[in-house]
Amino acid sequence: MSATRLLVLGVVRVHGQAHGYRVGRELMDWGAEEWANVKWGSIYHALRKLSEQGKLREFVAEGEVTERTSYEITDEGEADFLRLLRGALSHGGDDHALLCAGVTLMPCLPRAEVIELLKERLAVLEKSDAEVVSAIDATEAEWGKPAHVRELFRLWHYTVDAGADWTRQLIASLETGEYVMADDSPQAFGLPPV
């Protein structure tokens, strides 16, 4: 899964239509260059690729000061966007950029669905953490690895545990009604303009 692909589809969806500079400017304003390593070249590459794949429709917008290629999301692109977003919110892997992209765009989905996706993520994290703790607690005879490698497992445990705690807190925030989600308002962040 690609955070850049999800973000580019999301920005075009948010605006209804956008040219490459607008997509890039929006992502830079969100700080995506830092947390997702999104660069201008990757944005334009994603726009071209998504257009070639039929996820975005290319056109030259009238009324622009200069002729710019603009994009709008297609039905196929909308389906891909929703699939990527759901995957980003439910995955329990270590792709930090993908998780950040998912959280940035989570208001595009109904509250209950986001909560369920985050619960799926939490279950994966809790299972992974239990396996790591079991490995750390293994006796020296069972360990079978150099002793210092146990520190890497401890780091993994603390990282996964922190991710699980954060996920629980986000679920609790959503359950108490924090944040405006897709089913709360037609003007929720991330929804296409009406």
Side-chain angles (χ1 to χ4, degrees):
M1 249 188 268
S2 163
T4 302
R5 182 182 183 93
L6 173 57
L7 289 166
V8 167
L9 284 168
V11 171
V12 172
R13 182 181 193 264
V14 166
H15 292 289
Q17 53 183 255
H19 50 74
Y21 181 78
R22 184 174 195 180
V23 172
R25 190 73 269 144
E26 186 87 16
L27 292 176
M28 296 309 145
D29 287 348
W30 295 354
E33 186 173 27
E34 296 301 319
W35 50 261
N37 197 29
V38 172
K39 306 285 187 239
W40 284 98
S42 61
I43 294 165
Y44 284 102
H45 174 75
L47 286 166
R48 277 192 305 279
K49 206 71 169 139
L50 289 163
S51 182
E52 288 170 10
Q53 295 170 349
K55 314 290 183 182
L56 295 175
R57 186 180 73 80
E58 255 181 61
F59 62 96
V60 176
E62 292 183 26
E64 293 280 335
V65 175
T66 60
E67 281 195 10
R68 291 185 178 173
T69 302
S70 289
Y71 303 87
E72 61 186 10
I73 197 164
T74 63
D75 290 343
E76 192 177 330
E78 177 74 11
D80 197 35
F81 167 76
L82 292 171
R83 179 188 60 78
L84 289 169
L85 179 55
R86 289 175 177 125
L89 290 170
S90 64
H91 97 99
D94 62 356
D95 189 340
H96 184 72
L98 187 60
L99 176 60
C100 290
V103 171
T104 300
L105 295 165
M106 72 180 183
C108 298
L109 296 173
R111 181 177 307 279
E113 183 177 3
V114 173
I115 290 169
E116 285 309 307
L117 292 167
L118 290 169
K119 285 180 178 178
E120 288 176 30
R121 169 185 162 71
L122 183 58
V124 170
L125 292 172
E126 288 173 340
K127 181 177 186 260
S128 176
D129 195 39
E131 292 167 0
V132 172
V133 168
S134 174
I136 293 169
D137 291 344
T139 65
E140 290 302 320
E142 295 171 325
W143 179 246
K145 300 168 185 52
H148 69 279
V149 172
R150 209 178 285 265
E151 290 306 320
L152 297 175
F153 279 69
R154 284 188 184 104
L155 174 61
W156 185 8
H157 161 65
Y158 292 128
T159 302
V160 171
D161 194 43
D165 282 345
W166 172 84
T167 303
R168 282 185 206 97
Q169 290 172 16
L170 180 54
I171 290 168
S173 294
L174 289 164
E175 286 176 339
T176 61
E178 263 193 76
Y179 312 115
V180 178
M181 306 302 286
D183 52 343
D184 296 330
S185 168
Q187 280 82 37
F189 174 83
L191 295 181
V194 270

